[in-house]
């Protein structure tokens, strides 16, 4: 590995210290990265004690450094954490990790080799090994408009469920989006990122927003050899009703940003949202179905006003 390689890692977190500790240990245990300078920055929407940080710093391997930033109330929200990282980190290659992921032991070495092999790439992502989907599940995603046959394509309603195909790929492929649990960008490709009103709090869809803006400056790729496990911890996430609501509204905003709301894409988004409402109602997930219904009503009102 080229000793001049550098990498910044930003971990956006909120009160998930057990998950975060596992994530950091998986970074500290990386192989084949001797000579690489690695900066880790924890960006905290919660409360982490200095004693906890000191304990973690004692475990830092040679060549790694650990920084920490506790945000104030005005800075709250995942997108704001991402934006802060683009300004506060030192190196041009910036890897975002969720605090509840664990990396395979060669993840960082493979990531750096991938950027060396594809110097024009502005974004590189890996594959969650725990994300599996049955044939029935894949068919439901296609029928509901959440997925496409191509693994790197967003659905016509703007959803990213084509990720259910990523574990089946053997070769590197081009993609329109990266998955927020592990997405690595050239920081120069994120120079146009700004705070938007509809991405607040948990900021559902912020990874698609960042991917869109980065993709304007060059290609993005997924390398199936970049392996990790995303545990999907439920702690510190928004309530189910709010997540369902923002899943409808934020995808509407993303469609407006990417392609504009054509009649076809609007109809597809309504179809997808209606399918999700029916699915959760049949399963008696009252909070989720209520959120989808609220989102559908607002979606129809927004289109009428436009």
């Amino acid at each position: 590995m080229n000793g001049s390689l550098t990498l910044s890692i930003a971990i956006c977190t909120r009160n998930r210290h057990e998950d975060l500790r596992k994530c950091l240990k998986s970074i500290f245990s990386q192989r084949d990265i001797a000579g690489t300078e690695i900066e880790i920055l924890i960006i905290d929407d919660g409360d982490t004690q200095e004693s906890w940080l000191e304990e973690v710093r004692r475990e830092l391997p040679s060549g790694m450094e650990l920084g920490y930033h506790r945000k104030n109330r005005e800075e709250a929200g995942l997108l704001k954490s991402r934006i802060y990282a683009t300004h506060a980190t030192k190196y041009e290659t910036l890897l975002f990790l969720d605090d509840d992921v664990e990396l395979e032991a060669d993840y960082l070495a493979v990531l750096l080799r991938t950027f060396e092999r594809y110097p024009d790439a502005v974004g590189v992502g890996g594959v969650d090994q725990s994300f599996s989907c049955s044939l029935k599940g894949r068919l439901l995603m296609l029928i509901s408009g959440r997925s496409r046959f191509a693994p790197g394509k967003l659905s016509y309603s703007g959803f990213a469920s084509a990720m259910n195909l990523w574990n089946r790929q053997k070769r590197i492929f081009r993609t329109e989006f990266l998955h927020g649990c592990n997405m690595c960008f050239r920081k120069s490709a994120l120079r146009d990122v700004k705070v938007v009103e509809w991405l607040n709090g948990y900021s559902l869809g912020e990874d698609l927003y960042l991917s869109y803006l980065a993709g304007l400056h060059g290609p993005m790729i997924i390398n199936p050899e970049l392996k990790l496990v995303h545990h999907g911890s439920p702690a510190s996430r928004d309530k189910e009703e709010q997540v369902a609501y923002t899943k409808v509204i934020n995808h509407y905003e993303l469609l407006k940003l990417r392609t504009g709301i054509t009649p076809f894409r609007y109809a597809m988004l309504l179809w997808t949202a209606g399918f999700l409402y029916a699915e959760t109602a049949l399963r008696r997930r009252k909070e989720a179905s209520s959120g989808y219904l609220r989102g559908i009503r607002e979606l129809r009102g927004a289109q009428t006003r436009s």
Side-chain angles (χ1 to χ4, degrees):
M1 179 87 53
N2 185 343
S4 65
L5 291 177
T6 56
L7 176 68
S8 292
I9 302 174
I11 306 174
C12 307
T13 189
R14 182 188 174 197
N15 297 334
R16 295 202 294 218
H17 296 97
E18 185 175 343
D19 293 317
L20 178 57
R21 191 64 178 269
K22 291 178 181 176
C23 177
L24 288 168
K25 284 186 175 181
S26 75
I27 297 172
F28 298 166
S29 302
Q30 290 295 294
R31 299 191 302 244
D32 301 326
I33 55 172
T36 303
E37 296 180 20
I38 296 176
E39 167 199 30
I40 305 166
L41 177 61
I42 297 172
I43 305 168
D44 195 357
D45 265 316
D47 186 15
T48 299
Q49 299 299 316
E50 183 61 32
S51 58
W52 188 93
L53 290 168
E54 284 303 315
E55 187 176 332
V56 170
R57 286 191 177 102
R58 286 196 290 269
E59 300 174 8
L60 270 173
S62 175
M64 293 189 187
E65 60 178 292
L66 179 67
Y68 175 78
H69 173 69
R70 179 180 294 166
K71 294 162 64 185
N72 57 43
R73 186 173 297 177
E74 289 72 28
E75 298 174 307
L78 180 55
L79 177 60
K80 290 181 180 179
S81 293
R82 306 287 203 202
I83 294 173
Y84 177 85
T86 65
H87 299 292
T89 51
K90 295 191 297 186
Y91 302 127
E92 168 66 1
T93 306
L94 173 59
L95 170 63
F96 288 108
L97 294 177
D98 278 3
D99 57 9
D100 54 356
V101 305
E102 290 185 81
L103 306 178
E104 290 279 320
D106 63 349
Y107 181 99
L108 295 184
V110 174
L111 176 67
L112 293 168
R113 286 200 299 267
T114 304
F115 271 112
E116 286 187 313
R117 182 179 172 188
Y118 296 90
D120 294 332
V122 298
V124 174
V127 179
D128 175 12
Q129 300 304 292
S130 66
F131 192 91
S132 60
C133 191
S134 66
L135 176 60
K136 178 182 176 182
R138 293 197 298 274
L139 288 173
L140 282 174
M141 287 183 186
L142 287 168
I143 292 169
S144 65
R146 284 174 282 180
S147 187
R148 297 268 292 275
F149 288 106
K153 292 287 187 181
L154 292 168
S155 76
Y156 294 116
S157 56
F159 279 67
S161 295
M163 282 191 300
N164 74 82
L165 299 173
W166 287 7
N167 265 324
R168 304 170 65 84
Q169 308 307 306
K170 303 300 182 183
R171 298 180 179 178
I172 291 172
F173 59 91
R174 286 280 298 269
T175 184
E176 294 180 341
F177 63 95
L178 303 181
H179 186 193
C181 76
N182 79 122
M183 52 184 183
C184 192
F185 295 105
R186 305 289 193 188
K187 284 201 303 187
S188 56
L190 297 179
R191 58 184 177 267
D192 299 323
V193 176
K194 61 183 179 180
V195 175
V196 289
E197 183 180 352
W198 48 276
L199 280 173
N200 50 47
Y202 181 51
S203 304
L204 191 149
E206 48 78 32
D207 51 351
L208 303 185
Y209 172 64
L210 293 179
S211 296
Y212 166 70
L213 293 176
L216 296 175
H217 301 286
M220 296 182 295
I221 58 176
I222 300 296
N223 187 347
E225 293 303 313
L226 281 168
K227 299 177 181 180
L228 71 152
V229 174
H230 182 211
H231 295 291
S233 174
S236 299
R237 297 182 186 273
D238 284 348
K239 293 182 179 179
E240 193 174 27
E241 194 272 347
Q242 183 64 17
V243 170
Y245 167 76
T246 55
K247 192 175 289 187
V248 177
I249 296 304
N250 288 7
H251 279 91
Y252 176 74
E253 296 291 344
L254 286 163
L255 279 179
K256 285 201 302 183
L257 179 69
R258 294 183 66 93
T259 62
I261 300 295
T262 66
F264 171 70
R265 289 188 179 275
Y266 175 70
M268 286 301 302
L269 181 55
L270 271 182
W271 169 257
T272 298
F275 192 98
L276 290 169
Y277 165 72
E279 187 176 58
T280 51
L282 286 172
R283 295 179 179 179
R284 298 184 179 180
R285 291 171 52 195
K286 292 184 179 179
E287 287 192 11
S289 60
S290 175
Y292 286 126
L293 185 59
R294 181 161 68 97
I296 290 168
R297 287 170 175 165
E298 186 163 325
L299 184 64
R300 294 179 69 177
Q303 191 66 5
T304 299
R305 290 191 296 272
S306 64

